[in-house]
């Protein structure tokens, strides 16, 4: 399979911010983008479902549920000087 890399006209690299440095190519399952100015690259599945094939573990279900830090309770102390009518 011949992989043709084509520059994406007008695309801006999300890492280095340069324009027209991104190029894309496809393999049989993914569409890749890479920057020729920095080492940015990413890939997305052609069918839209970017499911890892098992070697990448998902970050859910590891270490149980996420504990959110409780918000600091606000202590509303009525100011006596403002309560008179
Ligand atoms: Zn870049």
């Amino acid at each position: 399979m011949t992989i043709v890399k084509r520059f994406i006209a007008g695309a801006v690299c999300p890492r280095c911010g340069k324009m027209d440095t991104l190029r894309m190519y496809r393999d049989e399952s993914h569409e890749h983008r890479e920057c020729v100015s920095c080492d940015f690259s990413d890939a997305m599945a052609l069918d839209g479902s970017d499911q890892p094939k098992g070697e990448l573990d998902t970050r859910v279900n590891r270490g149980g549920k996420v504990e959110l830090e409780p918000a600091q309770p606000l202590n509303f102390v009525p100011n006596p000087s403002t309560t008179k009518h």
Side-chain angles (χ1 to χ4, degrees):
M1 178 175 177
T2 306
I3 292 179
V4 180
K5 297 185 178 184
R6 292 187 298 182
F7 280 95
I8 309 171
V12 177
C13 173
R15 181 176 291 179
C16 68
K18 292 182 181 176
M19 188 177 280
D20 293 339
T21 59
L22 285 179
R23 56 185 185 178
M24 58 160 284
Y25 60 96
R26 288 184 178 184
D27 61 20
E28 62 273 0
S29 60
H30 285 74
E31 180 175 279
H32 301 262
R33 290 185 303 161
E34 65 181 17
C35 177
V36 297
S37 181
C38 65
D39 57 355
F40 167 79
S41 68
D42 73 355
M44 46 188 270
L46 292 178
D47 61 359
S49 65
D50 209 353
Q51 297 292 331
K53 290 172 186 169
E55 68 269 23
L56 299 172
D57 59 349
T58 55
R59 269 171 282 180
V60 292
N61 295 333
R62 182 195 279 183
K65 60 183 179 180
V66 177
E67 298 280 348
L68 290 178
E69 226 171 277
Q72 289 293 323
L74 292 174
N75 292 320
F76 274 104
V77 178
N79 190 342
S81 67
T82 61
T83 54
K84 57 189 175 186
H85 296 283

